[in-house]
Amino acid sequence: MHIEKAMVAADIIIEYEDGSIVLIKRANEPYKDQWALPGGIMDPDESIEETAVREAKEETGLDVEIIKLVGVYSKPGRDTRGRSVSVCYAAKVTGGELKADTDAKEILRTKDILKMKLAFDHNQMVEEYFSKKK
């Protein structure tokens, strides 16, 4: 029996009160130069919620508070680096200053996110987030 270990990641939908969502332009492969939700791989010494908060801070400069779970995404092939499972959270801004950092080349606040082509399966995450808000 072959066992392939999966990476565990967190992705974060950060929504401002005006309805705009924060996106990062990826600085690295896979999906270099494409827009994506902030997020990244869980470190061995943290919970998945801590990963979400850390990645939000590292990539966007924002302090966030997790509001709710959006979903868990594990479809084979969702990440070209190998098997991965992503836990997507919705979060609100509690502080910090919006600026691209670490793996983010640029940063964007947009209300037109549903019209954009995003990296990975982030379009599915965003669509499910908005469908659950109704």
Side-chain angles (χ1 to χ4, degrees):
M1 173 166 67
H2 172 72
I3 298 174
E4 182 181 356
K5 294 187 178 181
M7 297 177 285
V8 179
D11 290 301
I12 311 98
I13 297 174
I14 304 170
E15 185 174 12
Y16 279 85
E17 289 183 9
D18 68 358
S20 62
I21 304 287
V22 177
L23 294 175
I24 62 154
K25 184 175 271 188
R26 290 184 52 82
N28 303 309
E29 293 293 350
Y31 300 103
K32 184 177 180 178
D33 295 326
Q34 292 187 29
W35 292 106
L37 295 171
I41 310 274
M42 183 172 68
D43 287 341
D45 63 341
E46 64 186 359
S47 70
I48 195 67
E49 295 84 2
E50 290 169 335
T51 301
V53 171
R54 174 182 55 79
E55 288 288 346
K57 182 67 170 181
E58 287 179 1
E59 294 186 349
T60 70
L62 297 173
D63 298 313
V64 300
E65 177 184 324
I66 293 173
I67 299 169
K68 67 178 179 179
L69 174 68
V70 174
V72 177
Y73 302 84
S74 61
K75 184 177 179 182
R78 66 173 299 278
D79 190 324
T80 59
R81 295 170 289 189
R83 191 79 169 101
S84 74
V85 175
S86 182
V87 180
C88 182
Y89 292 101
K92 67 177 182 178
V93 178
T94 59
E97 181 182 333
L98 187 62
K99 65 183 184 313
D101 207 354
T102 63
D103 298 335
K105 194 178 207 176
E106 292 177 42
I107 202 137
L108 173 71
R109 266 180 74 174
T110 182
K111 292 183 181 180
D112 293 326
I113 193 167
L114 292 172
K115 299 176 186 173
M116 298 176 70
K117 171 127 176 54
L118 304 178
F120 303 101
D121 48 3
H122 292 182
N123 284 95
Q124 180 185 358
M125 294 175 184
V126 169
E127 288 166 11
E128 289 179 15
Y129 170 71
F130 282 110
S131 73
K132 292 177 181 177
K133 279 186 71 173
K134 293 178 182 177

